[in-house]
Amino acid sequence: MILKVYTSLLLLFLVNSVWTRTVRQVYDDLDPGHWSHYTSECPQECFCPPSFPNALYCDNKGLKEIPPIPARIWYLYLQNNQIETISEKPFANATHLRWINLNKNKITNSGIESGVLSKLKRLLYLFLEENELEEVPAPLPVGLEQLRLARNKISKIPEGVFSHLENLTMLDLHQNSLLDSALQSDTFQGLNNLMQLNIAKNSLKKMPLSIPANTMQLFLDNNSIEVIPENYFSAIPKVTFLRLNYNKLSDDGIPSNGFNVSSILDLQLSHNQLTKIPPINAHLEHLHLDHNKIKSVNGTQICPVSIALEEDYGYYGNIPRLRYLRLDGNEIQPPIPLDIMICFRLLQAVVI
C-alpha cells in the first residue's frame, strides 16, 4: 500500500517534470528567425522571452487590466499587479492557455465576467491567490488540474462549483474565511481525482464532510477543530499526509483508534491540547506532537505492536516504521525512555 502511494506521488511529479522539460526543449530549438514575429505581437507592457515564446510575462508591471493575449501563449504570468477584473476581451485569441497566474491582484467576484473562465477550455492551472474573492468563482474550466485560491476572503462555495472538475488533483483554499456551514456533504462532489486538499487557516470547528475518497494530502492546520468523528478516515482510505496542527484537539476529542490508520505515514498534531499520545499504526513514519500538554511517555503503551512479538520476529516482522518523533514543547523530561527505543527500532530522530 505504501509503495503504491509513493509510486503515485512520484509518477505525478515525473509526468509534470517531463512535460515541462519537453515543452521547453521544443521552444529552445525554434528558429531565431521567428523571434521578431513573436516580439512584434507581444503586448507593450509585457515581456516575451525569445527562448520561451509560448510564455507571456506581465508580472510586477503595475497593470490595472489584462492586456490582449496572443494566440500562441500557453503560460500567462500576471501576478503582483493591480488588476481588478477578468473580462472576455483579452482572451479572445488565447485558445491555448494552459497556465494563468493572477496571484496578488485586486480581483473580486463581481469583477469576473460571467463565463469567462469556463471558456478557457485547455486551462490546467489557475492561480488566484491573494485577491479579494469572497466566494469560489464559477463556472470553472472543466479540465483544471490545480486551483489555488489561498489568502482571499472566501466564505462561500457555490453549490456544484466542483461537480465537473474530474481532473482536479489539487485544491488550495487555505487562509480564507470558511465556516463549517460552507462545507456541505456535496461540496466536493465530482472531485474524483483530488490528491491534495488544503483548508488550513480557516474558521472550521468540525472536520469537513465528504472529503473525496482519493485524497492523499489533507491539511487542516490553524482551525478550531475539537473532535475527530469515529471512523472518519475510513471514507478517505488513501490519506497519507495529515496535518492538524494549531487546533483544539484534546484526548476526549479523539476516538480510541482515530489515528490508527494504515495509510497515514505523516501525522502532525502539534499545538493542540493532548495530554497523551494517541494510538498510532505501525506504518506511521513521522509523528509531530510538539507543544501539547503531554507529561510522560510510556513506550509499552504507545507501541502499535507487542514488544514481545517484535523481539521474536525482529526486522522481518511487522515492526513499527516510525522514523521521526517530535515531543518538544510538552512537559516531558529527558532522557528518552528505553522502551521507546525498543519499540521504534527505526527511529532516526527524536526531539524532546
Side-chain angles (χ1 to χ4, degrees):
M1 174 62 186
I2 295 174
L3 180 59
K4 290 182 179 179
V5 168
Y6 279 134
T7 302
S8 299
L9 289 172
L10 181 60
L11 181 60
L12 181 66
F13 172 77
L14 290 175
V15 168
N16 285 336
S17 300
V18 171
W19 179 69
T20 302
R21 287 200 303 271
T22 303
V23 170
R24 284 184 177 274
Q25 184 177 2
V26 171
Y27 298 153
D28 290 340
D29 292 341
L30 285 172
D31 183 355
H34 295 159
W35 293 355
S36 59
H37 167 67
Y38 296 134
T39 303
S40 66
E41 63 172 5
C42 184
Q44 185 177 1
E45 311 94 325
C46 307
F47 172 60
C48 299
S51 60
F52 197 17
N54 287 58
L56 181 60
Y57 290 87
C58 307
D59 52 308
N60 296 286
K61 302 294 185 183
L63 300 180
K64 293 186 177 181
E65 59 183 28
I66 299 173
I69 311 303
R72 70 172 191 277
I73 298 302
W74 286 24
Y75 306 96
L76 178 58
Y77 298 88
L78 288 160
Q79 66 270 27
N80 291 300
N81 282 293
Q82 304 294 317
I83 297 169
E84 298 181 357
T85 61
I86 303 176
S87 60
E88 189 172 333
K89 185 177 179 180
F91 298 102
N93 297 318
T95 57
H96 296 283
L97 278 173
R98 304 306 202 264
W99 172 303
I100 298 178
N101 189 333
L102 275 160
N103 292 345
K104 294 186 178 181
N105 278 283
K106 296 184 177 181
I107 298 167
T108 62
N109 288 95
S110 60
I112 301 177
E113 187 174 336
S114 178
V116 62
L117 296 175
S118 62
K119 292 179 180 178
L120 302 173
K121 302 295 186 182
R122 301 188 183 184
L123 195 67
L124 303 177
Y125 300 86
L126 178 58
F127 300 173
L128 280 165
E129 298 181 352
E130 293 192 55
N131 278 278
E132 303 292 331
L133 299 175
E134 296 182 351
E135 61 182 67
V136 175
L140 292 162
V142 296
L144 274 185
E145 294 181 5
Q146 288 192 15
L147 178 60
R148 298 176 184 255
L149 298 169
R151 295 181 290 277
N152 277 277
K153 301 175 182 178
I154 295 173
S155 61
K156 181 181 178 181
I157 301 178
E159 184 177 356
V161 67
F162 302 128
S163 60
H164 300 295
L165 304 187
E166 294 186 0
N167 295 327
L168 200 72
T169 59
M170 196 269 269
L171 174 59
D172 191 347
L173 287 163
H174 89 267
Q175 200 167 333
N176 277 285
S177 302
L178 292 170
L179 300 171
D180 296 318
S181 57
L183 305 179
Q184 300 299 315
S185 59
D186 60 350
T187 294
F188 301 112
Q189 185 175 348
L191 299 179
N192 299 327
N193 289 297
L194 194 72
M195 297 177 66
Q196 183 186 113
L197 177 60
N198 191 342
I199 325 178
K201 294 188 177 182
N202 277 278
S203 299
L204 304 181
K205 293 183 178 180
K206 300 178 181 179
M207 296 291 285
L209 300 171
S210 302
I211 299 296
N214 285 318
T215 302
M216 300 172 68
Q217 301 178 357
L218 179 58
F219 304 145
L220 292 163
D221 314 75
N222 293 89
N223 280 285
S224 298
I225 296 171
E226 299 179 354
V227 176
I228 307 294
E230 191 83 35
N231 300 319
Y232 181 85
F233 298 105
S234 62
I236 41 176
K238 297 182 180 180
V239 63
T240 306
F241 303 94
L242 177 61
R243 293 199 330 223
L244 279 159
N245 303 320
Y246 291 95
N247 276 282
K248 296 182 178 180
L249 290 170
S250 63
D251 302 328
D252 294 337
I254 300 176
S256 57
N257 281 299
F259 296 120
N260 188 1
V261 180
S262 61
S263 65
I264 299 178
L265 304 183
D266 190 300
L267 175 60
Q268 300 189 22
L269 296 168
S270 305
H271 294 271
N272 277 279
Q273 300 171 12
L274 303 176
T275 64
K276 59 184 180 182
I277 298 178
I280 59 174
N281 193 272
H283 290 95
L284 187 68
E285 296 184 3
H286 295 83
L287 178 59
H288 297 246
L289 284 165
D290 56 287
H291 298 91
N292 276 275
K293 299 179 180 180
I294 301 171
K295 294 182 178 181
S296 63
V297 181
N298 186 315
T300 303
Q301 291 179 355
I302 69 171
C303 192
V305 300
S306 167
I307 290 181
L309 289 175
E310 187 178 344
E311 290 176 345
D312 290 341
Y313 288 106
Y315 283 102
Y316 299 100
N318 187 30
I319 68 169
R321 301 177 187 178
L322 194 68
R323 289 171 167 79
Y324 180 88
L325 175 60
R326 184 170 177 183
L327 292 166
D328 57 303
N330 284 283
E331 301 176 27
I332 304 169
Q333 298 297 321
I336 300 167
L338 180 59
D339 51 5
I340 291 286
M341 308 310 296
I342 293 175
C343 173
F344 302 107
R345 301 184 185 185
L346 301 181
L347 266 177
Q348 298 175 357
V350 181
V351 184
I352 194 168

